[in-house]
Amino acid sequence: MRSALVFGGSGQIGQPLIQRLRAGGWHVTALSRSPQRGDARLRWLSGGFEAMPPLPAQFDAIISAGPLDHFAGWYAGGGVATPRVVAFGSTSLDTKRGSGDPAERGLAGRLKQGEDSVFTTAASRGEAATLLRPTLVYGRGRDASLSRIAALARRTGVFPLPRGARGLRQPVHVEDLADAALACLDAPATHGRAYALPGGETLPYREMVARVLACLQPPARLVELPAPLFAAALWLARRTGRASELGDAAIDRMRQDLVFDAAPAARDFGYAPRPFRPQRAIFARD
Ligand SMILES: NC(=O)c1ccc[n+]([C@@H]2O[C@H](COP(=O)([O-])OP(=O)(O)OC[C@H]3O[C@@H](n4cnc5c(N)ncnc54)[C@H](OP(=O)(O)O)[C@@H]3O)[C@@H](O)[C@H]2O)c1
């Protein structure tokens, strides 16, 4: 039985990943800072990157579905040997690199440094690393984008967008990401490479939001506002703490196409993500 060490196993990507590893006959050791329930094939260790518990010296694979910068630091520090590393990063590495928001540029920089560090460490140890960069993630009702939109729309019955919010998006389902990580493990073509993992459909931002609103019960209404009116509504929402994390850079990006090519991932490990068909159950937990 092969052994895997999983970081971020309690997360929205990590959970379906662990399910798949177990179904594939792996013995999984996973870390969490919160209590989790394990069994004979899934051992949860209590801790995180700031307080690492003692770990076995070797695994057949290490997978990170948690914060990449923390993982890269831990991996560079050594201590656990493995022939195979698969780590999630983000396409924010590209999309936020030139952002007007310093915090977003900082995130892009940390993602780039994290990727570089993982590849450098792996090369120095003769281990094989693969980096996976999802686009906009959805599927477990815990993401910070579509699930937040759904939660707000359910409370108010409407969701406002600025006119022209038609930049292209490729929302990707967490289960397709979990499949991708699993498929990579046994795909030698992926060694030393990074892959964008977009969803299986490319659609305008407005249409993406409209599909989320349409699947709510009752459905919520999309309202497109002229730029000055939207700015006023946003100012009010920020004043009342309802849109504190929606920065101007994020609003600008609604008009920008953020499109990535799935062909390298399809070629190297059979990546075949589903089209964007959100179901009400996804957002039921908000
Ligand atoms: N969400 C998105 O839209 C999106 C988009 C692109 C890329 N990604 C990337 O995909 C990966 C997984 O994202 P996700 O949305 O599945 O994450 P998530 O649901 O927010 O879960 C985060 C996971 O990381 C773990 N974690 C956080 N801080 C940690 C620390 N200091 N030490 C140890 N573990 C820590 C958490 O473990 P515990 O809390 O149990 O300790 C949890 O399992 C991340 O690399 C993220 O950057 C996400």
Side-chain angles (χ1 to χ4, degrees):
M1 186 183 286
R2 293 194 287 177
S3 62
L5 174 62
V6 176
F7 296 101
S10 67
Q12 57 177 344
I13 299 172
Q15 284 181 345
L17 174 64
I18 286 179
Q19 284 167 6
R20 281 157 175 74
L21 285 166
R22 287 161 51 100
W26 289 74
H27 185 279
V28 178
T29 300
L31 250 78
S32 177
R33 295 162 300 168
S34 314
Q36 307 285 341
R37 189 179 306 164
D39 56 35
R41 300 253 296 275
L42 170 59
R43 184 160 73 120
W44 282 100
L45 299 178
S46 178
F49 290 112
E50 298 82 359
M52 193 62 68
L55 294 169
Q58 197 161 347
F59 286 91
D60 294 307
I62 298 178
I63 308 175
S64 170
L68 180 62
D69 49 354
H70 288 60
F71 172 71
W74 171 82
Y75 180 50
V80 177
T82 184
R84 194 71 182 102
V85 172
V86 174
F88 281 94
S90 173
T91 51
S92 294
L93 180 152
D94 285 319
T95 59
K96 295 184 177 157
R97 194 173 37 196
S99 170
D101 180 339
E104 290 192 346
R105 285 201 305 279
L107 170 66
R110 286 196 302 281
L111 286 166
K112 171 82 172 100
Q113 279 174 9
E115 286 201 4
D116 290 349
S117 169
V118 169
F119 281 133
T120 303
T121 304
S124 71
R125 293 189 197 154
E127 298 175 353
T130 302
L131 264 296
L132 300 177
R133 301 173 183 161
T135 52
L136 188 157
V137 172
Y138 76 100
R140 291 249 158 157
R142 308 168 38 168
D143 59 276
S145 39
L146 297 184
S147 295
R148 284 219 182 128
I149 290 173
L152 183 64
R154 201 176 3 241
R155 279 200 296 276
T156 59
V158 294
F159 191 82
L161 278 181
R163 265 193 202 135
R166 287 180 165 70
L168 296 175
R169 292 295 183 277
Q170 298 165 306
V172 60
H173 198 287
V174 289
E175 291 183 6
D176 292 332
L177 297 171
D179 284 338
L182 202 70
C184 274
L185 288 173
D186 294 318
T190 66
H191 294 183
R193 297 191 57 136
Y195 295 88
L197 297 183
E201 187 173 354
T202 303
L203 72 173
Y205 192 97
R206 182 202 177 285
E207 174 64 18
M208 176 180 73
V209 173
R211 286 193 200 174
V212 171
L213 303 187
C215 80
L216 300 179
Q217 196 56 38
R221 200 158 55 88
L222 178 62
V223 183
E224 289 183 278
L225 300 176
L229 206 54
F230 182 81
L234 186 61
W235 179 83
L236 199 63
R238 283 175 179 159
R239 292 261 307 178
T240 51
R242 276 176 293 151
S244 45
E245 292 182 26
L246 189 58
D248 292 338
I251 305 288
D252 289 345
R253 267 197 304 278
M254 291 178 187
R255 295 187 172 82
Q256 296 164 12
D257 295 343
L258 309 181
V259 176
F260 295 86
D261 186 6
R267 177 197 65 212
D268 289 353
F269 55 96
Y271 182 59
R274 70 198 69 188
F276 184 57
R277 303 279 184 272
Q279 306 289 319
R280 181 183 159 207
I282 289 176
F283 306 111
R285 39 184 301 156
D286 289 312

